[in-house]
Amino acid sequence: MLLQLTQNRRILFYAEYDVELPLQELDAILDQNTSFNSGDSTRLVKVTPEKAYQETNSSDMTFSGTVDRINGTGLTFKVERQQGDAYVQEGDPISAPFEGDRFTAKVKLPESSGMYRVTAYTLLTNPKGSFQMPVAYWYIQKTDPASKS
């Protein structure tokens, strides 16, 4: 984190801080109160699982929740596998249509163990156009089913 205080282009204070925030402490829902998402989008109220980090040896997981504002017909879920510092998409996106103010997505996880990221996307529309914007992340540590009893 970089903290810089300036006045009339003159730096009055400058400091760099290392900040560590473990995945286990993060909520899954992203803060949508930023200038980067001006326009109409779906707002998530509550999701299950609530925390961003999960461990499982299951071949699938269910993600669900409620929304208080809807844009589009549903959410899109993508599964990505961690490879080094990057994430690479696995399989096709999964559609989770809205049923009133609720959604449910059953996501099939790849067979191999490792770290996966599941991202929920909403449609964002504004005068410049429409695109998919992430609204929630889950990090799934998939373990080998044979290793757990």
Side-chain angles (χ1 to χ4, degrees):
M1 179 170 53
L2 173 66
L3 178 61
Q4 181 174 305
L5 178 62
T6 61
Q7 183 177 24
N8 297 327
R9 297 188 187 139
R10 184 174 163 196
I11 297 174
L12 302 175
F13 179 80
Y14 177 91
E16 291 183 28
Y17 301 96
D18 289 329
V19 178
E20 189 173 319
L21 184 59
L23 286 177
Q24 290 85 342
E25 295 179 20
L26 292 177
D27 290 331
I29 297 176
L30 296 175
D31 181 11
Q32 294 180 336
N33 296 318
T34 68
S35 60
F36 296 109
N37 63 357
S38 59
D40 294 326
S41 63
T42 299
R43 299 285 178 162
L44 303 183
V45 177
K46 184 174 172 105
V47 294
T48 303
E50 291 181 20
K51 291 296 183 183
Y53 180 80
Q54 304 294 313
E55 291 182 10
T56 187
N57 63 354
S58 179
S59 61
D60 56 43
M61 286 188 73
T62 300
F63 301 90
S64 61
T66 56
V67 297
D68 70 351
R69 190 170 77 196
I70 293 176
N71 188 40
T73 58
L75 299 177
T76 302
F77 285 75
K78 294 181 183 175
V79 178
E80 300 167 296
R81 179 182 178 80
Q82 184 178 26
Q83 290 184 347
D85 290 338
Y87 285 87
V88 178
Q89 186 169 328
E90 295 266 332
D92 294 328
I94 298 112
S95 214
F98 295 123
E99 298 170 6
D101 66 346
R102 300 194 54 75
F103 67 90
T104 301
K106 189 167 187 172
V107 174
K108 181 152 182 60
L109 298 172
E111 292 299 319
S112 55
S113 60
M115 179 66 82
Y116 294 89
R117 179 171 65 191
V118 176
T119 307
Y121 291 88
T122 181
L123 180 66
L124 173 69
T125 55
N126 60 35
K128 294 181 180 180
S130 297
F131 62 93
Q132 294 288 316
M133 177 184 82
V135 288
Y137 286 110
W138 291 270
Y139 294 87
I140 314 299
Q141 182 63 55
K142 183 147 190 284
T143 56
D144 185 358
S147 68
K148 297 230 176 177
S149 46

